[in-house]
Amino acid sequence: MAQEFLVGSANLKKIFKQETGTSIMTYFKTIKMDTAKEWLAGHQKSITEVANQLGFSSSHHFSTAFKKSTGLSPTDYYKQLITIK
């Protein structure tokens, strides 16, 4: 991204944080978790497929990140959605 905008990486991080109020990594993690929630809610993909397609090294790593982000494991998140409907 820094090359695309012709700035140094440190400067890009600083500008991004000033403009959005969040770091670049946090921004991308949020996008990944929002995508994961959509896919799980629609029962479009298995947990393993979600993990692979979002670039996680394993479904365990994905599940840990998902739980840290949402407070629920991917399975519990899906079960909660079923009981709400």
Side-chain angles (χ1 to χ4, degrees), residues 16-30:
F16 192 92
K17 178 97 175 190
Q18 286 174 342
E19 294 298 316
T20 66
T22 189
S23 71
I24 293 172
M25 291 306 294
T26 299
Y27 178 79
F28 282 112
K29 286 177 187 177
T30 300

Side-chain angles (χ1 to χ4, degrees), residues 35-45 49-50 53-54:
T35 301
K37 286 191 264 185
E38 285 178 33
W39 288 346
L40 292 170
H43 202 61
Q44 298 169 335
K45 301 178 187 310
E49 289 173 322
V50 171
Q53 291 188 359
L54 292 178

